Amino acid sequence: VVPDVNVAAKKFGIKLLIPVADGMNEVYLRCENENQYARWMAACVLASKGKTMADSSYHPEVHKILSFLKMKNWTMSPQAVSDPESIDMKPECFVSLRYTKKYKSKQLAARILEAHQNVSQMSLVEAKLRFIQAWQSLPEFGLSYYIVRFKGSKKDDVLGVSYNRLIRIDIATGDPITTWRFSNMKQWNVNWEIRQVAIEFDQNVSIAFTCLSADCKIIHEYIGGYIFLS
């Protein structure tokens, strides 16, 4: 369940990855407003964990999602500083390099100050909790990336390792090609002589790859650790 949201543009979307025999199908849902999105998103999140809307965590989940949306809605507060240049701030310390190239320092400073107004009245613990929740809501949260070469392939790919799935990603475009869930995995092993990881899934689906950017032992231990934790 992946959020696809732009509050400013009134875009409230949900991307669902549905398991099928040879990987995953993608389904997109579009909601009309924030409240509808929060209810659907909470229901989908619970469903992905095997729970229903009757579960006691449904309404807290809806409230948490609405809180996220409120944080993302960068409306200028009356208390916001009207002149960003009067603040001694280095915006490049707060944002990634691609944003410093895309926007001027004055624009970034104004946005940072606006965003700060949404958390400035919170206690330290509450602000930290909001930060963690916002971090966890990012589409790529919890993914680790490795360059691999799949058996039978002539080019390198990126393998994303998450807590519940493996994702084969096109190294040139960054687009996901195939997703395999750990819940469909029958077994995995490593050929230590040729440093190759081989995995078998349900319905006679099997993959094998060598890891180029790290030791194959790392991916082997990632898989084992995530399955143990689940």
Side-chain angles (χ1 to χ4, degrees), residues 144-148 150 157-161 166-169 180 207 209 219:
S144 300
Y145 298 99
Y146 299 95
I147 299 173
V148 301
F150 279 86
D157 288 296
V158 172
L159 184 74
V161 184
L166 299 172
I167 309 169
R168 183 177 182 175
I169 301 167
W180 302 278
I207 60 172
F209 56 84
I219 294 181

Side-chain angles (χ1 to χ4, degrees), residues 1 10 18 21 25 28 74 83 111 122 133 156 159 162 168 222 224:
V1 183
K10 299 297 181 184
I18 313 296
N25 283 339
Y28 286 88
W74 308 124
D83 184 12
R111 291 293 298 275
M122 295 179 187
Q133 290 173 337
D156 298 344
L159 184 74
S162 181
R168 183 177 182 175
Y222 253 125

